[in-house]
């Protein structure tokens, strides 16, 4: 089998395909002949070594794959050889490979969704769309009519957060983006307005007035978490979903949070899947059903062969993509 292995912190150009020994699934696991693997900014951070000892190297990156069931481990039921599936590898990773081992609880059969869903869209959506769904439904517990602010609104996760907020009946859904060009994408990504991340507070105050923002969804981190608190109404909440800015953690005053009647929460789907895999897998099937039925759409910016993973990483580092990048591995 072929795979990209990261042995040490490195540059994008150092990502090369290697030959590795074939393997059989462990008991209770599946292996998949990978057709597509999603590429996310978390892969860039991993390659740079920014997770430190949390994710020891060597490691094969890749949190999400689609393809066909190759082999079924002892004790696994409900799948058949050759079945089209999408799966979240998450904390185990291993997606940048021609064969990936996956947990059945986090694997969704694509022939059981009641609609057509191609392998590319499934790989592009399964982690980010499930994250968006669980964030809004289970973490924020958004109510119809609430105003939502999404940072990095045109990215792989952000392109789904706006759509999902609308599915759950949000009032105004406003996003921030890094470039003026991306502000033109508001309608296509279900945003009422897209604003530059460098200047969003005053425009949002003008748009919403005293009503303010009910929920902030933040994959960016850094100063966004401090600035966003100015826009929250009392009883509003910030949901932390990542640290794409790569900046140091921003200290928060628990007394300020208490006195302002605001809350800050976090959601990490990888960590949560370790304790509640069945719940995460159930949510994944529900959102891929929405995708298969055309109620949500996946924005795919580009598809690269596995051998050109470096080009995908370079694009992400330039922060000039919209939606998701994929690597095509097999047929």
């Amino acid at each position: 089998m072929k795979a990209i292995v990261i042995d040490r912190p490195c540059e994008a150009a150092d990502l090369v395909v290697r030959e590795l020994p074939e393997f059989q699934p462990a008991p209770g696991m599946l292996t998949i002949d990978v057709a597509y693997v999603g590429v996310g900014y978390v892969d860039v951070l991993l390659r740079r070594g920014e997770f430190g000892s949390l994710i020891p190297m060597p490691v094969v990156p890749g949190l999400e794959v689609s393809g066909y069931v190759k082999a079924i481990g002892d004790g696994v039921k409900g799948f058949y050889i050759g079945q089209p599936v999408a799966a979240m590898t998450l904390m185990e990773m291993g997606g940048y490979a021609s064969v990936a081992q996956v947990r059945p609880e986090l694997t969704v059969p694509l022939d059981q969704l009641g609609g057509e869903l191609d392998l590319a869209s499934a790989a592009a959506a399964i982690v980010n769309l499930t994250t968006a769904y669980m964030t809004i439904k289970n973490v924020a517990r958004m109510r119809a009519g609430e105003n939502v602010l999404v940072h990095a609104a045109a990215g792989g996760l952000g392109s789904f957060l706006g759509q999902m907020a609308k599915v759950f009946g949000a009032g105004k859904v406003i996003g921030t983006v890094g470039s003026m060009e991306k502000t033109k994408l508001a309608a296509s990504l279900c945003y009422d307005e897209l604003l530059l991340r460098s200047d969003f507070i005053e425009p949002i105050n003008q748009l919403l007035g005293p009503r303010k923002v009910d929920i902030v969804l933040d994959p960016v981190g850094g100063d966004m978490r401090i600035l966003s608190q100015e826009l929250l109404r009392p009883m509003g909440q910030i949901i932390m979903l990542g640290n794409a800015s790569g900046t140091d953690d921003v200290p928060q005053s628990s007394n300020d949070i208490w006195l302002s009647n605001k809350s800050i929460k976090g959601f990490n789907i990888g960590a949560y899947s370790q304790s509640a895999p069945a719940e995460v897998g159930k949510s994944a099937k529900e959102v891929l059903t929405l995708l298969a039925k055309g109620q949500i759409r996946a924005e795919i910016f580009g598809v690269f062969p596995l051998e050109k993973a470096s080009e995908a990483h370079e694009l992400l580092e330039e922060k000039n993509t919209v939606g998701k990048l994929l690597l095509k591995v097999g047929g």
Side-chain angles (χ1 to χ4, degrees):
M1 60 174 279
K2 58 185 180 179
I4 291 177
V5 182
I6 300 175
D7 292 311
R8 54 181 173 74
C10 63
E11 300 296 322
D14 297 318
L15 296 175
V16 295
V17 175
R18 302 183 192 174
E19 287 294 330
L20 298 180
E22 291 277 355
F23 62 91
Q24 292 298 312
M29 303 288 278
L30 299 164
T31 54
I32 293 174
D33 281 322
V34 177
Y36 294 92
V37 55
V39 182
Y41 203 75
V42 66
D43 301 333
V44 172
L45 298 177
L46 172 65
R47 193 199 76 234
R48 292 174 180 169
E50 296 191 21
F51 293 107
S53 60
L54 287 174
I55 303 179
M57 297 180 180
V59 63
V60 176
L63 309 184
E64 63 231 313
V65 298
S66 67
Y68 301 93
V69 174
K70 177 181 178 67
I72 300 171
D74 291 342
V76 177
K77 300 185 183 301
F79 297 89
Y80 61 87
I81 304 299
Q83 186 174 29
V85 294
M88 296 178 279
T89 53
L90 296 174
M91 301 296 281
E92 288 82 14
M93 291 178 279
Y96 285 31
S98 56
V99 179
Q101 180 166 261
V102 299
R103 300 171 70 174
E105 302 98 321
L106 299 176
T107 302
V108 177
L110 301 183
D111 55 356
Q112 298 177 7
L113 300 178
E116 293 293 325
L117 182 59
D118 62 274
L119 291 170
S121 296
I126 187 167
V127 168
N128 284 332
L129 186 52
T130 304
T131 299
Y133 178 78
M134 296 189 74
T135 297
I136 291 169
K137 179 183 178 183
N138 303 109
V139 184
R141 297 182 180 178
M142 194 196 84
R143 294 174 293 186
E146 289 190 316
N147 295 325
V148 179
L149 169 62
V150 180
H151 294 304
L157 176 57
S159 63
F160 287 124
L161 285 168
Q163 294 183 74
M164 193 58 68
K166 287 295 188 182
V167 167
F168 278 87
K172 291 286 187 183
V173 182
I174 301 166
T176 70
V177 292
S179 69
M180 184 61 72
E181 188 66 25
K182 291 181 181 179
T183 63
K184 302 172 185 176
L185 301 169
S188 65
L189 298 177
C190 289
Y191 286 96
D192 295 296
E193 192 87 31
L194 285 177
L195 304 168
L196 284 176
R197 201 153 51 244
S198 57
D199 179 26
F200 65 93
I201 292 179
E202 187 55 34
I204 290 178
N205 280 327
Q206 291 177 3
L207 280 167
L208 299 182
R211 180 68 179 84
K212 294 205 168 190
V213 174
D214 298 279
I215 299 167
V216 176
L217 306 176
D218 178 29
V220 176
D223 290 342
M224 291 298 103
R225 290 175 190 162
I226 300 298
L227 294 170
S228 298
Q229 290 180 43
E230 298 180 32
L231 296 167
L232 276 183
R233 67 167 178 83
M235 305 304 288
Q237 53 186 321
I238 295 176
I239 315 296
M240 300 181 294
L241 296 169
N243 188 36
S245 65
T247 57
D248 292 337
D249 194 15
V250 177
Q252 303 282 336
S253 166
S254 56
N255 279 341
D256 287 349
I257 294 168
W258 163 50
L259 292 169
S260 64
N261 293 297
K262 299 171 184 177
S263 63
I264 299 175
K265 303 178 182 178
F267 181 58
N268 181 302
I269 193 171
Y272 192 64
S273 71
Q274 298 296 98
S275 60
E279 181 185 348
V280 174
K282 179 176 180 290
S283 295
K285 185 171 183 180
E286 289 170 358
V287 297
L288 290 188
T289 298
L290 292 177
L291 192 65
K293 293 182 176 180
Q295 295 174 257
I296 297 279
R297 69 183 188 86
E299 184 78 33
I300 298 174
F301 187 80
V303 181
F304 298 82
L306 182 63
E307 292 76 11
K308 293 189 177 181
S310 59
E311 295 184 21
H313 276 232
E314 287 166 357
L315 269 177
L316 281 177
E317 288 181 299
E318 292 166 5
K319 298 185 184 295
N320 199 31
T321 61
V322 176
K324 192 71 174 179
L325 294 175
L326 297 175
L327 303 178
K328 191 175 190 306
V329 183

